Amino acid sequence: MMTASRLRRNLILLLLAAAVALAPGCAKRKAQKAEERAFASPEELYRRGIEKLARDNLTKAREDLERISFSAETMDLLEPLVKLRLADSTFYRGDDVSYIDARAKYLDFIVLHAGHPLAPYAQFQAGICSLKQVSAPTQDQTQTHP
């Protein structure tokens, strides 16, 4: 008859053996996912970035969007959208420095793509960035003198 400590030791050994047996499969899956990311098309990376942006995973969204390399075919359509989404990922961080950076990115978009259908959105967001930086009326207003 096995004692409780011996039974517990055998159970731990069994669990460790199972973990070791599964470890190579996990490493293989991680390598496979990394390979898929490395060879993703610009459209696929943009789609992933938008999905991550929608889920508030701003860092991962930014990584995917920054990895997009444009070709002659995708430059006109995709580049303005990527620039705008990078500005959005900066804006949604929500701190003062992010608002300053996002405002600059939105204004760059407006200058470079003034005729784009999303230029009014970029202008609106630049205004929101400015509003987010305004101090509350109850705080010191020495910086707002005329």
Side-chain angles (χ1 to χ4, degrees):
M1 183 160 192
M2 277 192 185
T3 63
S5 64
R6 197 172 206 184
L7 183 62
R8 191 175 355 188
R9 183 185 60 150
N10 287 343
L11 182 61
I12 290 171
L13 288 174
L14 180 64
L15 289 173
L16 283 173
V20 168
L22 292 175
C26 292
K28 187 176 181 181
R29 278 188 294 243
K30 284 183 182 178
Q32 189 177 25
K33 282 187 178 182
E35 186 177 318
E36 287 173 5
R37 284 192 305 261
F39 296 111
S41 69
E43 293 84 3
E44 177 65 20
L45 286 171
Y46 178 74
R47 186 189 60 75
R48 286 183 197 168
I50 294 300
E51 287 174 359
K52 291 173 183 170
L53 194 60
R55 287 181 283 172
D56 288 333
N57 194 344
L58 304 176
T59 305
K60 298 263 186 190
R62 177 179 278 296
E63 288 172 6
D64 281 345
L65 292 169
E66 287 177 342
R67 285 187 33 235
I68 295 175
S69 58
F70 303 105
S71 65
E73 300 86 34
T74 61
M75 183 72 117
D76 292 338
L77 177 66
L78 207 53
E79 183 197 18
L81 298 175
V82 169
K83 284 185 177 192
L84 199 54
R85 297 309 166 222
L86 283 169
D88 286 342
S89 70
T90 305
F91 174 81
Y92 290 125
R93 278 191 267 167
D95 55 38
D96 288 337
V97 174
S98 297
Y99 291 135
I100 294 168
D101 191 24
R103 183 176 186 276
K105 289 179 187 223
Y106 286 126
L107 292 176
D108 285 345
F109 179 87
I110 295 164
V111 168
L112 294 173
H113 307 285
H116 195 277
L118 291 174
Y121 168 77
Q123 185 68 51
F124 176 79
Q125 286 295 100
I128 295 296
C129 289
S130 295
L131 284 174
K132 294 281 190 178
Q133 296 174 53
V134 173
S135 298
T138 57
Q139 294 180 346
D140 181 22
Q141 296 294 317
T142 56
Q143 293 181 358
T144 59
H145 61 62

